[in-house]
PDB file of all heavy atoms in Angstrom:
ATOM      1  N   ARG A   1      73.349 127.973 127.123  1.00 98.00           N
ATOM      2  CA  ARG A   1      73.431 129.072 128.096  1.00 98.00           C
ATOM      3  C   ARG A   1      72.323 130.092 127.868  1.00 98.00           C
ATOM      4  O   ARG A   1      71.715 130.160 126.799  1.00 98.00           O
ATOM      5  CB  ARG A   1      74.793 129.755 127.995  1.00 98.00           C
ATOM      6  CG  ARG A   1      74.994 130.522 126.686  1.00 98.00           C
ATOM      7  CD  ARG A   1      76.446 130.953 126.533  1.00 98.00           C
ATOM      8  NE  ARG A   1      76.684 131.712 125.285  1.00 98.00           N
ATOM      9  CZ  ARG A   1      76.853 131.155 124.099  1.00 98.00           C
ATOM     10  NH1 ARG A   1      76.802 129.841 123.964  1.00 98.00           N
ATOM     11  NH2 ARG A   1      77.091 131.908 123.024  1.00 98.00           N
ATOM     12  N   ASP A   2      72.069 130.912 128.890  1.00 97.00           N
ATOM     13  CA  ASP A   2      71.136 132.024 128.777  1.00 97.00           C
ATOM     14  C   ASP A   2      71.764 133.033 127.817  1.00 97.00           C
ATOM     15  O   ASP A   2      72.771 133.671 128.144  1.00 97.00           O
ATOM     16  CB  ASP A   2      70.909 132.646 130.158  1.00 97.00           C
ATOM     17  CG  ASP A   2      69.870 133.774 130.154  1.00 97.00           C
ATOM     18  OD1 ASP A   2      69.783 134.497 129.138  1.00 97.00           O
ATOM     19  OD2 ASP A   2      69.154 133.929 131.156  1.00 97.00           O
ATOM     20  N   HIS A   3      71.179 133.182 126.637  1.00 96.00           N
ATOM     21  CA  HIS A   3      71.810 134.051 125.632  1.00 96.00           C
ATOM     22  C   HIS A   3      71.662 135.528 125.960  1.00 96.00           C
ATOM     23  O   HIS A   3      72.311 136.371 125.341  1.00 96.00           O
ATOM     24  CB  HIS A   3      71.234 133.756 124.236  1.00 96.00           C
ATOM     25  CG  HIS A   3      69.782 134.090 124.073  1.00 96.00           C
ATOM     26  ND1 HIS A   3      68.781 133.213 124.438  1.00 96.00           N
ATOM     27  CD2 HIS A   3      69.164 135.213 123.614  1.00 96.00           C
ATOM     28  CE1 HIS A   3      67.600 133.760 124.181  1.00 96.00           C
ATOM     29  NE2 HIS A   3      67.804 134.969 123.688  1.00 96.00           N
ATOM     30  N   TYR A   4      70.823 135.860 126.952  1.00 96.00           N
ATOM     31  CA  TYR A   4      70.701 137.259 127.374  1.00 96.00           C
ATOM     32  C   TYR A   4      71.839 137.652 128.300  1.00 96.00           C
ATOM     33  O   TYR A   4      72.371 138.767 128.229  1.00 96.00           O
ATOM     34  CB  TYR A   4      69.372 137.489 128.099  1.00 96.00           C
ATOM     35  CG  TYR A   4      68.154 137.406 127.215  1.00 96.00           C
ATOM     36  CD1 TYR A   4      67.348 136.265 127.210  1.00 96.00           C
ATOM     37  CD2 TYR A   4      67.789 138.466 126.382  1.00 96.00           C
ATOM     38  CE1 TYR A   4      66.219 136.180 126.407  1.00 96.00           C
ATOM     39  CE2 TYR A   4      66.661 138.394 125.566  1.00 96.00           C
ATOM     40  CZ  TYR A   4      65.885 137.249 125.586  1.00 96.00           C
ATOM     41  OH  TYR A   4      64.764 137.170 124.788  1.00 96.00           O
ATOM     42  N   THR A   5      72.198 136.746 129.218  1.00 97.00           N
ATOM     43  CA  THR A   5      73.196 137.069 130.243  1.00 97.00           C
ATOM     44  C   THR A   5      74.512 136.313 130.079  1.00 97.00           C
ATOM     45  O   THR A   5      75.485 136.640 130.756  1.00 97.00           O
ATOM     46  CB  THR A   5      72.636 136.742 131.631  1.00 97.00           C
ATOM     47  OG1 THR A   5      72.476 135.317 131.750  1.00 97.00           O
ATOM     48  CG2 THR A   5      71.287 137.424 131.864  1.00 97.00           C
ATOM     49  N   GLN A   6      74.495 135.274 129.232  1.00 97.00           N
ATOM     50  CA  GLN A   6      75.660 134.400 128.999  1.00 97.00           C
ATOM     51  C   GLN A   6      75.946 133.496 130.206  1.00 97.00           C
ATOM     52  O   GLN A   6      77.007 132.862 130.266  1.00 97.00           O
ATOM     53  CB  GLN A   6      76.929 135.218 128.651  1.00 97.00           C
ATOM     54  CG  GLN A   6      76.762 136.127 127.443  1.00 97.00           C
ATOM     55  CD  GLN A   6      76.318 135.369 126.191  1.00 97.00           C
ATOM     56  OE1 GLN A   6      76.914 134.379 125.824  1.00 97.00           O
ATOM     57  NE2 GLN A   6      75.250 135.846 125.548  1.00 97.00           N
ATOM     58  N   ASP A   7      75.023 133.423 131.159  1.00 98.00           N
ATOM     59  CA  ASP A   7      75.202 132.527 132.295  1.00 98.00           C
ATOM     60  C   ASP A   7      75.012 131.075 131.857  1.00 98.00           C
ATOM     61  O   ASP A   7      74.171 130.770 130.996  1.00 98.00           O
ATOM     62  CB  ASP A   7      74.200 132.863 133.398  1.00 98.00           C
ATOM     63  CG  ASP A   7      74.592 134.121 134.153  1.00 98.00           C
ATOM     64  OD1 ASP A   7      75.604 134.075 134.880  1.00 98.00           O
ATOM     65  OD2 ASP A   7      73.895 135.144 134.004  1.00 98.00           O
ATOM     66  N   VAL A   8      75.785 130.199 132.495  1.00 98.00           N
ATOM     67  CA  VAL A   8      75.758 128.776 132.170  1.00 98.00           C
ATOM     68  C   VAL A   8      75.310 128.003 133.397  1.00 98.00           C
ATOM     69  O   VAL A   8      75.667 128.338 134.530  1.00 98.00           O
ATOM     70  CB  VAL A   8      77.160 128.286 131.725  1.00 98.00           C
ATOM     71  CG1 VAL A   8      77.148 126.781 131.453  1.00 98.00           C
ATOM     72  CG2 VAL A   8      77.620 129.051 130.489  1.00 98.00           C
ATOM     73  N   VAL A   9      74.526 126.946 133.183  1.00 98.00           N
ATOM     74  CA  VAL A   9      74.113 126.072 134.264  1.00 98.00           C
ATOM     75  C   VAL A   9      74.448 124.639 133.877  1.00 98.00           C
ATOM     76  O   VAL A   9      74.541 124.319 132.678  1.00 98.00           O
ATOM     77  CB  VAL A   9      72.595 126.211 134.550  1.00 98.00           C
ATOM     78  CG1 VAL A   9      71.778 125.547 133.453  1.00 98.00           C
ATOM     79  CG2 VAL A   9      72.225 125.613 135.909  1.00 98.00           C
ATOM     80  N   HIS A  10      74.653 123.798 134.874  1.00 98.00           N
ATOM     81  CA  HIS A  10      74.909 122.378 134.596  1.00 98.00           C
ATOM     82  C   HIS A  10      73.578 121.693 134.318  1.00 98.00           C
ATOM     83  O   HIS A  10      72.739 121.563 135.217  1.00 98.00           O
ATOM     84  CB  HIS A  10      75.608 121.724 135.786  1.00 98.00           C
ATOM     85  CG  HIS A  10      75.841 120.250 135.597  1.00 98.00           C
ATOM     86  ND1 HIS A  10      76.629 119.738 134.591  1.00 98.00           N
ATOM     87  CD2 HIS A  10      75.364 119.184 136.284  1.00 98.00           C
ATOM     88  CE1 HIS A  10      76.629 118.419 134.658  1.00 98.00           C
ATOM     89  NE2 HIS A  10      75.867 118.053 135.673  1.00 98.00           N
ATOM     90  N   TYR A  11      73.374 121.272 133.086  1.00 98.00           N
ATOM     91  CA  TYR A  11      72.135 120.616 132.700  1.00 98.00           C
ATOM     92  C   TYR A  11      72.057 119.196 133.254  1.00 98.00           C
ATOM     93  O   TYR A  11      73.079 118.508 133.386  1.00 98.00           O
ATOM     94  CB  TYR A  11      72.009 120.562 131.180  1.00 98.00           C
ATOM     95  CG  TYR A  11      71.003 121.555 130.626  1.00 98.00           C
ATOM     96  CD1 TYR A  11      71.351 122.886 130.481  1.00 98.00           C
ATOM     97  CD2 TYR A  11      69.716 121.162 130.280  1.00 98.00           C
ATOM     98  CE1 TYR A  11      70.441 123.809 129.989  1.00 98.00           C
ATOM     99  CE2 TYR A  11      68.800 122.071 129.792  1.00 98.00           C
ATOM    100  CZ  TYR A  11      69.155 123.394 129.647  1.00 98.00           C
ATOM    101  OH  TYR A  11      68.248 124.296 129.173  1.00 98.00           O
ATOM    102  N   GLU A  12      70.857 118.781 133.579  1.00 98.00           N
ATOM    103  CA  GLU A  12      70.600 117.399 133.966  1.00 98.00           C
ATOM    104  C   GLU A  12      70.840 116.528 132.716  1.00 98.00           C
ATOM    105  O   GLU A  12      70.128 116.668 131.719  1.00 98.00           O
ATOM    106  CB  GLU A  12      69.166 117.257 134.448  1.00 98.00           C
ATOM    107  CG  GLU A  12      68.686 115.830 134.625  1.00 98.00           C
ATOM    108  CD  GLU A  12      69.560 115.029 135.566  1.00 98.00           C
ATOM    109  OE1 GLU A  12      69.750 115.462 136.717  1.00 98.00           O
ATOM    110  OE2 GLU A  12      70.056 113.978 135.117  1.00 98.00           O
ATOM    111  N   PRO A  13      71.820 115.618 132.745  1.00 98.00           N
ATOM    112  CA  PRO A  13      72.139 114.826 131.550  1.00 98.00           C
ATOM    113  C   PRO A  13      70.962 114.011 131.009  1.00 98.00           C
ATOM    114  O   PRO A  13      70.897 113.732 129.804  1.00 98.00           O
ATOM    115  CB  PRO A  13      73.268 113.896 132.027  1.00 98.00           C
ATOM    116  CG  PRO A  13      73.909 114.641 133.154  1.00 98.00           C
ATOM    117  CD  PRO A  13      72.776 115.352 133.846  1.00 98.00           C
ATOM    118  N   LYS A  14      70.030 113.667 131.876  1.00 98.00           N
ATOM    119  CA  LYS A  14      68.871 112.912 131.421  1.00 98.00           C
ATOM    120  C   LYS A  14      68.094 113.674 130.344  1.00 98.00           C
ATOM    121  O   LYS A  14      67.456 113.067 129.478  1.00 98.00           O
ATOM    122  CB  LYS A  14      67.943 112.591 132.600  1.00 98.00           C
ATOM    123  CG  LYS A  14      66.718 111.768 132.212  1.00 98.00           C
ATOM    124  CD  LYS A  14      65.773 111.574 133.388  1.00 98.00           C
ATOM    125  CE  LYS A  14      64.492 110.877 132.951  1.00 98.00           C
ATOM    126  NZ  LYS A  14      63.528 110.749 134.082  1.00 98.00           N
ATOM    127  N   GLU A  15      68.141 115.004 130.382  1.00 98.00           N
ATOM    128  CA  GLU A  15      67.471 115.806 129.365  1.00 98.00           C
ATOM    129  C   GLU A  15      67.990 115.447 127.971  1.00 98.00           C
ATOM    130  O   GLU A  15      67.231 115.367 127.003  1.00 98.00           O
ATOM    131  CB  GLU A  15      67.675 117.296 129.648  1.00 98.00           C
ATOM    132  CG  GLU A  15      67.120 118.233 128.590  1.00 98.00           C
ATOM    133  CD  GLU A  15      65.603 118.345 128.612  1.00 98.00           C
ATOM    134  OE1 GLU A  15      64.967 117.790 129.534  1.00 98.00           O
ATOM    135  OE2 GLU A  15      65.053 119.008 127.707  1.00 98.00           O
ATOM    136  N   PHE A  16      69.289 115.210 127.882  1.00 98.00           N
ATOM    137  CA  PHE A  16      69.870 114.857 126.587  1.00 98.00           C
ATOM    138  C   PHE A  16      69.461 113.440 126.169  1.00 98.00           C
ATOM    139  O   PHE A  16      69.292 113.165 124.976  1.00 98.00           O
ATOM    140  CB  PHE A  16      71.391 114.992 126.651  1.00 98.00           C
ATOM    141  CG  PHE A  16      71.845 116.343 127.146  1.00 98.00           C
ATOM    142  CD1 PHE A  16      72.819 116.454 128.130  1.00 98.00           C
ATOM    143  CD2 PHE A  16      71.272 117.510 126.657  1.00 98.00           C
ATOM    144  CE1 PHE A  16      73.229 117.700 128.598  1.00 98.00           C
ATOM    145  CE2 PHE A  16      71.672 118.762 127.104  1.00 98.00           C
ATOM    146  CZ  PHE A  16      72.648 118.855 128.087  1.00 98.00           C
ATOM    147  N   ASP A  17      69.296 112.567 127.161  1.00 98.00           N
ATOM    148  CA  ASP A  17      68.815 111.216 126.853  1.00 98.00           C
ATOM    149  C   ASP A  17      67.389 111.267 126.306  1.00 98.00           C
ATOM    150  O   ASP A  17      67.028 110.504 125.406  1.00 98.00           O
ATOM    151  CB  ASP A  17      68.853 110.339 128.113  1.00 98.00           C
ATOM    152  CG  ASP A  17      70.265 110.077 128.601  1.00 98.00           C
ATOM    153  OD1 ASP A  17      71.168 109.952 127.759  1.00 98.00           O
ATOM    154  OD2 ASP A  17      70.462 110.001 129.822  1.00 98.00           O
ATOM    155  N   VAL A  18      66.575 112.170 126.857  1.00 98.00           N
ATOM    156  CA  VAL A  18      65.200 112.333 126.370  1.00 98.00           C
ATOM    157  C   VAL A  18      65.219 112.813 124.925  1.00 98.00           C
ATOM    158  O   VAL A  18      64.477 112.296 124.079  1.00 98.00           O
ATOM    159  CB  VAL A  18      64.425 113.316 127.260  1.00 98.00           C
ATOM    160  CG1 VAL A  18      63.069 113.638 126.639  1.00 98.00           C
ATOM    161  CG2 VAL A  18      64.224 112.738 128.657  1.00 98.00           C
ATOM    162  N   LEU A  19      66.067 113.798 124.622  1.00 98.00           N
ATOM    163  CA  LEU A  19      66.147 114.308 123.249  1.00 98.00           C
ATOM    164  C   LEU A  19      66.625 113.226 122.287  1.00 98.00           C
ATOM    165  O   LEU A  19      66.108 113.096 121.168  1.00 98.00           O
ATOM    166  CB  LEU A  19      67.103 115.507 123.188  1.00 98.00           C
ATOM    167  CG  LEU A  19      66.744 116.737 124.025  1.00 98.00           C
ATOM    168  CD1 LEU A  19      67.679 117.886 123.681  1.00 98.00           C
ATOM    169  CD2 LEU A  19      65.299 117.157 123.806  1.00 98.00           C
ATOM    170  N   HIS A  20      67.606 112.452 122.706  1.00 98.00           N
ATOM    171  CA  HIS A  20      68.136 111.390 121.842  1.00 98.00           C
ATOM    172  C   HIS A  20      67.070 110.339 121.564  1.00 98.00           C
ATOM    173  O   HIS A  20      66.888 109.905 120.414  1.00 98.00           O
ATOM    174  CB  HIS A  20      69.362 110.741 122.498  1.00 98.00           C
ATOM    175  CG  HIS A  20      70.079 109.792 121.598  1.00 98.00           C
ATOM    176  ND1 HIS A  20      69.693 108.470 121.428  1.00 98.00           N
ATOM    177  CD2 HIS A  20      71.149 109.975 120.784  1.00 98.00           C
ATOM    178  CE1 HIS A  20      70.505 107.885 120.574  1.00 98.00           C
ATOM    179  NE2 HIS A  20      71.400 108.769 120.162  1.00 98.00           N
ATOM    180  N   ALA A  21      66.348 109.928 122.598  1.00 98.00           N
ATOM    181  CA  ALA A  21      65.292 108.926 122.423  1.00 98.00           C
ATOM    182  C   ALA A  21      64.171 109.474 121.547  1.00 98.00           C
ATOM    183  O   ALA A  21      63.603 108.764 120.711  1.00 98.00           O
ATOM    184  CB  ALA A  21      64.747 108.492 123.784  1.00 98.00           C
ATOM    185  N   MET A  22      63.844 110.752 121.729  1.00 98.00           N
ATOM    186  CA  MET A  22      62.799 111.385 120.919  1.00 98.00           C
ATOM    187  C   MET A  22      63.189 111.388 119.440  1.00 98.00           C
ATOM    188  O   MET A  22      62.385 111.031 118.568  1.00 98.00           O
ATOM    189  CB  MET A  22      62.572 112.815 121.392  1.00 98.00           C
ATOM    190  CG  MET A  22      61.484 113.569 120.636  1.00 98.00           C
ATOM    191  SD  MET A  22      61.468 115.349 121.045  1.00 98.00           S
ATOM    192  CE  MET A  22      62.932 115.896 120.114  1.00 98.00           C
ATOM    193  N   MET A  23      64.419 111.767 119.152  1.00 98.00           N
ATOM    194  CA  MET A  23      64.880 111.802 117.761  1.00 98.00           C
ATOM    195  C   MET A  23      64.924 110.402 117.162  1.00 98.00           C
ATOM    196  O   MET A  23      64.631 110.202 115.976  1.00 98.00           O
ATOM    197  CB  MET A  23      66.252 112.465 117.681  1.00 98.00           C
ATOM    198  CG  MET A  23      66.246 113.938 118.057  1.00 98.00           C
ATOM    199  SD  MET A  23      65.215 114.956 116.962  1.00 98.00           S
ATOM    200  CE  MET A  23      66.277 115.066 115.519  1.00 98.00           C
ATOM    201  N   SER A  24      65.274 109.421 117.982  1.00 98.00           N
ATOM    202  CA  SER A  24      65.288 108.033 117.513  1.00 98.00           C
ATOM    203  C   SER A  24      63.887 107.578 117.142  1.00 98.00           C
ATOM    204  O   SER A  24      63.673 106.961 116.093  1.00 98.00           O
ATOM    205  CB  SER A  24      65.884 107.119 118.592  1.00 98.00           C
ATOM    206  OG  SER A  24      65.813 105.761 118.202  1.00 98.00           O
ATOM    207  N   ARG A  25      62.906 107.893 117.989  1.00 98.00           N
ATOM    208  CA  ARG A  25      61.524 107.491 117.711  1.00 98.00           C
ATOM    209  C   ARG A  25      60.943 108.237 116.508  1.00 98.00           C
ATOM    210  O   ARG A  25      60.043 107.734 115.841  1.00 98.00           O
ATOM    211  CB  ARG A  25      60.651 107.728 118.939  1.00 98.00           C
ATOM    212  CG  ARG A  25      60.958 106.785 120.084  1.00 98.00           C
ATOM    213  CD  ARG A  25      59.885 106.802 121.151  1.00 98.00           C
ATOM    214  NE  ARG A  25      60.158 105.812 122.183  1.00 98.00           N
ATOM    215  CZ  ARG A  25      59.252 105.350 123.050  1.00 98.00           C
ATOM    216  NH1 ARG A  25      58.017 105.830 123.019  1.00 98.00           N
ATOM    217  NH2 ARG A  25      59.572 104.440 123.948  1.00 98.00           N
ATOM    218  N   LEU A  26      61.475 109.416 116.239  1.00 98.00           N
ATOM    219  CA  LEU A  26      61.044 110.169 115.064  1.00 98.00           C
ATOM    220  C   LEU A  26      61.695 109.642 113.789  1.00 98.00           C
ATOM    221  O   LEU A  26      61.339 110.061 112.686  1.00 98.00           O
ATOM    222  CB  LEU A  26      61.398 111.651 115.222  1.00 98.00           C
ATOM    223  CG  LEU A  26      60.524 112.473 116.169  1.00 98.00           C
ATOM    224  CD1 LEU A  26      61.144 113.853 116.399  1.00 98.00           C
ATOM    225  CD2 LEU A  26      59.102 112.616 115.618  1.00 98.00           C
ATOM    226  N   GLY A  27      62.641 108.732 113.946  1.00 96.00           N
ATOM    227  CA  GLY A  27      63.368 108.224 112.792  1.00 96.00           C
ATOM    228  C   GLY A  27      64.393 109.222 112.283  1.00 96.00           C
ATOM    229  O   GLY A  27      64.790 109.184 111.117  1.00 96.00           O
ATOM    230  N   ARG A  28      64.847 110.121 113.158  1.00 97.00           N
ATOM    231  CA  ARG A  28      65.794 111.162 112.767  1.00 97.00           C
ATOM    232  C   ARG A  28      66.940 111.223 113.767  1.00 97.00           C
ATOM    233  O   ARG A  28      67.274 112.289 114.277  1.00 97.00           O
ATOM    234  CB  ARG A  28      65.091 112.515 112.682  1.00 97.00           C
ATOM    235  CG  ARG A  28      64.017 112.537 111.593  1.00 97.00           C
ATOM    236  CD  ARG A  28      63.454 113.923 111.399  1.00 97.00           C
ATOM    237  NE  ARG A  28      62.528 113.925 110.281  1.00 97.00           N
ATOM    238  CZ  ARG A  28      62.627 114.716 109.212  1.00 97.00           C
ATOM    239  NH1 ARG A  28      63.653 115.528 109.113  1.00 97.00           N
ATOM    240  NH2 ARG A  28      61.732 114.662 108.251  1.00 97.00           N
ATOM    241  N   VAL A  29      67.534 110.075 114.018  1.00 95.00           N
ATOM    242  CA  VAL A  29      68.592 110.018 115.012  1.00 95.00           C
ATOM    243  C   VAL A  29      69.771 110.909 114.627  1.00 95.00           C
ATOM    244  O   VAL A  29      70.520 111.374 115.496  1.00 95.00           O
ATOM    245  CB  VAL A  29      69.052 108.551 115.222  1.00 95.00           C
ATOM    246  CG1 VAL A  29      69.777 108.022 113.992  1.00 95.00           C
ATOM    247  CG2 VAL A  29      69.913 108.417 116.471  1.00 95.00           C
ATOM    248  N   ASN A  30      69.944 111.170 113.336  1.00 95.00           N
ATOM    249  CA  ASN A  30      71.010 112.061 112.885  1.00 95.00           C
ATOM    250  C   ASN A  30      70.469 113.437 112.503  1.00 95.00           C
ATOM    251  O   ASN A  30      71.174 114.250 111.903  1.00 95.00           O
ATOM    252  CB  ASN A  30      71.745 111.459 111.683  1.00 95.00           C
ATOM    253  CG  ASN A  30      72.500 110.192 112.048  1.00 95.00           C
ATOM    254  OD1 ASN A  30      73.149 110.129 113.087  1.00 95.00           O
ATOM    255  ND2 ASN A  30      72.400 109.171 111.206  1.00 95.00           N
ATOM    256  N   GLY A  31      69.206 113.696 112.832  1.00 98.00           N
ATOM    257  CA  GLY A  31      68.591 114.966 112.492  1.00 98.00           C
ATOM    258  C   GLY A  31      69.039 116.094 113.397  1.00 98.00           C
ATOM    259  O   GLY A  31      69.713 115.890 114.406  1.00 98.00           O
TER     260      GLY A  31
END
């Protein structure tokens, strides 16, 4: 959420898939 206003938005779930794949390629899937 926006930590200034506390507003929440529905994130595009693909963003989380990108982060997961990035961490996997870094060899830090549990990082």
